[in-house]
Amino acid sequence: MIKAFLFDLDGVFYVDNNIIPGALSTLKWLNEKNIQYKFITNNTTSSRLKLLNKLKNLGLSTEKENIISANFAGVLFLEKIGVKSCELILPESGIEDYKKFKIVKKNPEVIVVGDIGNNWTFELMNDLLEKILNGSKLIALHKGRYYQSKSGIKIDSGAFVSGLEHSASVEAKVIGKPQTTFFELASKDFKCDPNQIAMVGDDLINDIGGAKKMGYKSFLVKTGKFREKIYANSNIKPDYLIESILDLPKFLISNNLF
């Protein structure tokens, strides 16, 4: 029996600003059944508050405590290790969560890397490389390979993080999915065993692979970044494959998982 859910957001409940059919009815069903859930996302382009407002604008009514983003997890990690100064490779909309830290560009203790879309340049990469070689620690909010946009698959920030690791001969501290610490943070309030928790996502590595390391059940949806060829060639397989979030309640009931 599944008693709690972790849900990816982009690609599962929406793509860009377009709600995926069935997202609202499934969330309503979860709330009516009093099923525990959290939204967990590698999103680093929005603060936690802006993510909450986006969900509400899409009709996905929830509480801030139900949203665990890689951006927010980054803040918690910097607090934990006692960082005072950092450089943020983030858009303005993602920087809001980091107000309590001293933001610097000269000799930062750590460099926090998130999503900046098309703003990656050789100049920026070389600047970050020099700082890392001079002692700044590299923190990646995630190492996603690609993401789904309304115009198709786009390269994600993981490619640039890997480039910095390779050039500087360092290993970044990764915060978001599929790291076990991120899943532990997201599920710490669930009052059930790991095999009673399920992860629903569209990413084989970050969502499904991460869930399997934790002993969670896993659902892969055929929306968002899902690609049949990638799925067929991957050695990571979900416990369950469903068409979309619309089908989750019916699938749970018909397979005696709820």
Side-chain angles (χ1 to χ4, degrees):
M1 297 287 287
I2 297 173
K3 296 184 177 180
F5 283 92
L6 296 174
F7 292 106
D8 185 30
L9 280 171
D10 199 348
V12 177
F13 280 84
Y14 58 79
V15 173
D16 287 333
N17 291 310
N18 300 310
I19 196 83
I20 289 176
L24 300 184
S25 60
T26 294
L27 187 60
K28 181 181 178 183
W29 182 82
L30 291 164
N31 289 329
E32 288 174 348
K33 300 298 182 183
N34 293 315
I35 298 173
Q36 305 172 85
Y37 66 87
K38 300 281 186 184
F39 294 118
I40 65 171
T41 172
N42 275 348
N43 181 293
T44 64
T45 60
S46 297
S47 67
R48 202 179 184 199
L49 179 59
K50 287 180 179 176
L51 264 179
L52 176 65
N53 290 334
K54 175 173 182 171
L55 294 187
K56 289 184 175 180
N57 289 336
L58 289 171
L60 296 164
S61 182
T62 190
E63 304 298 325
K64 184 170 70 173
E65 290 70 29
N66 287 336
I67 302 172
I68 309 296
S69 70
N71 213 45
F72 175 66
V75 172
L76 297 180
F77 179 72
L78 294 192
E79 290 177 336
K80 180 180 178 180
I81 64 175
V83 164
K84 297 295 189 296
S85 70
C86 58
E87 180 172 359
L88 301 176
I89 310 304
L90 293 170
E92 286 297 322
S93 54
I95 289 174
E96 183 180 324
D97 284 338
Y98 292 82
K99 287 181 178 178
K100 61 182 66 179
F101 303 103
K102 184 179 180 182
I103 311 302
V104 300
K105 288 188 175 295
K106 185 177 181 181
N107 301 322
E109 292 177 61
V110 301
I111 297 168
V112 179
V113 177
D115 302 303
I116 57 171
N118 297 331
N119 291 319
W120 287 102
T121 65
F122 279 110
E123 289 76 17
L124 175 59
M125 290 288 283
N126 285 327
D127 179 62
L128 297 179
L129 172 61
E130 183 175 0
K131 290 170 182 174
I132 294 166
L133 292 175
N134 286 334
S136 297
K137 303 300 182 185
L138 178 61
I139 296 177
L141 295 181
H142 68 80
K143 286 183 72 176
R145 297 183 179 189
Y146 54 86
Y147 64 94
Q148 176 69 34
S149 74
K150 59 184 177 183
S151 59
I153 291 288
K154 303 292 185 184
I155 192 169
D156 214 340
S157 60
F160 301 98
V161 172
S162 294
L164 290 169
E165 289 178 316
H166 177 72
S167 296
S169 297
V170 299
E171 185 174 338
K173 172 65 179 178
V174 183
I175 303 299
K177 296 181 292 183
Q179 302 304 306
T180 57
T181 50
F182 187 73
F183 281 96
E184 288 166 356
L185 171 67
S187 61
K188 65 183 179 65
D189 294 331
F190 291 159
K191 295 176 173 55
C192 56
D193 296 328
N195 63 1
Q196 295 174 316
I197 299 172
M199 174 73 214
V200 182
D202 66 332
D203 187 305
L204 281 166
I205 296 172
N206 291 331
D207 297 328
I208 307 306
K212 284 185 170 295
K213 288 180 182 178
M214 299 297 295
Y216 300 161
K217 294 290 189 295
S218 57
F219 289 78
L220 183 69
V221 293
K222 292 184 177 182
T223 53
K225 66 176 69 171
F226 175 86
R227 295 292 185 275
E228 196 71 54
K229 185 174 182 180
I230 294 174
Y231 175 73
N233 292 333
S234 176
N235 60 1
I236 301 173
K237 300 296 183 186
D239 293 302
Y240 309 104
L241 180 65
I242 59 176
E243 290 296 322
S244 76
I245 194 67
L246 171 67
D247 300 315
L248 183 64
K250 186 176 180 180
F251 187 92
L252 292 171
I253 295 169
S254 61
N255 288 277
N256 296 315
L257 294 173
F258 164 71

